Amino acid sequence: MKGNFMQHEFLKQFPKRMKNVGLYAMLFGNSSQKTTWRRYGFDSLDEQLNMIFAVMLYLMEQSLKEEPCMMDDIGAYIDSVNTASFEKPMSYEDCRSLGDFIVNIILSNEGRPMYFEGYDFEKREYRKMNISYVANRIVSLDTEVRRTSYRLTDDGYNLLLGTLEIESNMKLTIHEMIFKMHLEKRRYDKAADQIKNVFNLLRMQLQKIQDAMLKIRRNALNYSVRDYQNILEENMHTIRDTRKQFLEYREMVKARAKELEEKHINVHKLNAKEEENLGNLRIIEGYLNRAIDEHQKILQNHLDLKALYTKELEELSQMSLIQRFSLRTELFDKVLQNPAALARMEGFFRPLFVQGPDKIYNLNKAFEPQQAARKKTEQDSQEQIDFDEEQWQREQEMLRRKKLAKYRDCLQYLLEKLLADGEFSLAQCREEINREPDKMQQLIPDVDIFKEIMVELIKSREIDIPALKKERSEFLQEAPGSFQLHEMLLELLEAKEPETGKRVRQISVTRTQDGEPVSFEGVMDESGNPKTIRCSNLLFRAAFAE
């Protein structure tokens, strides 16, 4: 049971999430089932919920000011709000009665306790959670009259604070502050949860920019200047100092992970808590790398959004300068009314055939310092092109799949040798290719592809396969459109392991001690030209699970 749960770490705080859901669900259920609303003119659920939250905000303000809030005060508040905004045909007594209905019937459930059940995946049972929006106490006024005063509970505050109080551009800052606090106090499990929230906020901001660009491409007039200003401000708030801070966090995480690794190697074996901390540090480092990549994408898309919006508006403004007329009314009908106008027809057609002035040779240009002219790559903007977007998309997708297939062939060659031998070097691969030249195309399908794979492997150094599988199970995203080393490694390993019966636990890539480079001759680049590759001799090792 526990093993199955550990595959879904994101369900660990599920009851807490459902408590927040229950705050809304119980409120909606209590309101929608009551017919008393019609007596006061509130027929739709929208009107009812607007009035409920207006009353709750008043209760929150009075609670924050620590002032008594009696039913007479609530009735007077509803009367003023109704007169200024809702305009329902209610007297003061009706307003006071409505306040009593909202507070004592809907929010307090007529004095009966309210419970919402959230499923606990660790204990495999439902957990009953109490929900209470309003509390009351007895207060004594100056006249020594004892009255009932109402205030919000913690659940009421959480409900209202979740609606508006945190602006969207402040969420990233708040989560980053919490992440920094957990990191400094070495609470790595909570820091890992917070960095996931930070990454999700960055991904949401990137998607928001891409959605805005799509709307602008469809019709720039449907995208308001206010929306454009808001998204630019959010982008600048996200971009400002974020990359520098994330780089500092990553260096801190690397240093602490290295400290634990050296302790494990040189001092003694790590205990369970230290191993858990080391695993969380690696998760944090991975998400920090992704967050830095998302930051770069947001910056690039931010610049693209500004350029796209400017270009679309300029083209729309140019279209407004074009003057159109009807040939039927402006030409044919007028000629029929006055056939003598045919003699002056050239005055109508002359603007259609106006040409630019003839070029003359400027002798002064011959004595000016000359610079190499760039090759003209763009055709005249006036040329009309018959462009089939769907066909172009299919062609691009085909090219992308062919390129990914080359990456897969190279990695598959390396993994097959790793599963067969457990350890090999690039020098051994060169010797095998010299004996069997047909394998050259599989290992090095392209100079750039081979170089990119080797660089990614050297940067990874040690690849923890179980950690990658765990991370993939915790994070859902669309299939990448470009080469991703870890994702492709997992895909190939899952296909190969059932055949070989070997389960890889770790893959390490290091440079050999001799320092002798390895040369591959006759390798073709993208243009089909033969090249010679000289690279460091790398040693590949695999650790298998027992």
Side-chain angles (χ1 to χ4, degrees), residues 7 13 17 31 39 46 112 120 132 142 166 221 237 239 258 326 370 405 506:
Q7 295 180 2
Q13 300 293 332
R17 294 180 182 272
S31 176
R39 186 190 311 167
D46 299 342
R112 297 190 299 270
D120 191 334
S132 174
D142 296 337
I166 299 179
L221 296 177
H237 182 81
I239 294 169
K258 185 177 180 181
S326 172
Q370 301 296 312
Q506 189 181 61

Side-chain angles (χ1 to χ4, degrees), residues 90-133:
M90 292 191 300
S91 62
Y92 171 76
E93 291 299 327
D94 292 334
C95 293
R96 190 183 186 284
S97 176
L98 177 61
D100 181 73
F101 167 71
I102 292 175
V103 173
N104 292 317
I105 304 299
I106 295 178
L107 297 179
S108 299
N109 197 30
E110 302 181 51
R112 297 190 299 270
M114 293 179 286
Y115 295 97
F116 189 83
E117 295 186 349
Y119 194 80
D120 191 334
F121 285 90
E122 291 183 279
K123 299 180 179 179
R124 300 184 67 180
E125 63 182 15
Y126 280 97
R127 183 191 300 178
K128 184 179 291 186
M129 298 170 289
N130 178 253
I131 292 177
S132 174
Y133 304 103

Side-chain angles (χ1 to χ4, degrees), residues 332-394:
F332 297 152
D333 292 346
K334 293 184 181 299
V335 168
L336 291 176
Q337 294 173 4
N338 183 16
L342 289 172
R344 302 188 302 275
M345 189 60 67
E346 74 281 357
F348 184 87
F349 288 109
R350 187 180 296 115
L352 302 178
F353 301 100
V354 172
Q355 299 179 355
D358 295 335
K359 295 182 179 180
I360 60 174
Y361 182 72
N362 187 353
L363 190 62
N364 295 326
K365 292 292 182 182
F367 299 96
E368 290 183 358
Q370 301 296 312
Q371 297 179 356
R374 294 182 178 179
K375 184 179 179 180
K376 185 176 180 181
T377 58
E378 297 183 358
Q379 297 182 358
D380 192 348
S381 60
Q382 299 295 330
E383 181 180 359
Q384 295 184 358
I385 302 176
D386 184 11
F387 181 72
D388 188 346
E389 184 177 0
E390 293 184 359
Q391 182 179 357
W392 182 81
Q393 291 286 356
R394 288 194 297 269

Side-chain angles (χ1 to χ4, degrees), residues 519-535:
S519 298
F520 296 92
E521 300 179 354
V523 181
M524 298 297 177
D525 60 6
E526 291 185 353
S527 303
N529 300 319
K531 299 287 184 180
T532 299
I533 299 178
R534 297 181 74 253
C535 60

Side-chain angles (χ1 to χ4, degrees), residues 457-458 461-462 508-512 537-541:
L457 289 171
I458 292 173
R461 292 175 57 187
E462 292 185 357
S508 61
V509 181
T510 57
R511 291 184 174 90
T512 56
N537 189 14
L538 301 181
L539 182 63
F540 299 83
R541 288 193 182 96

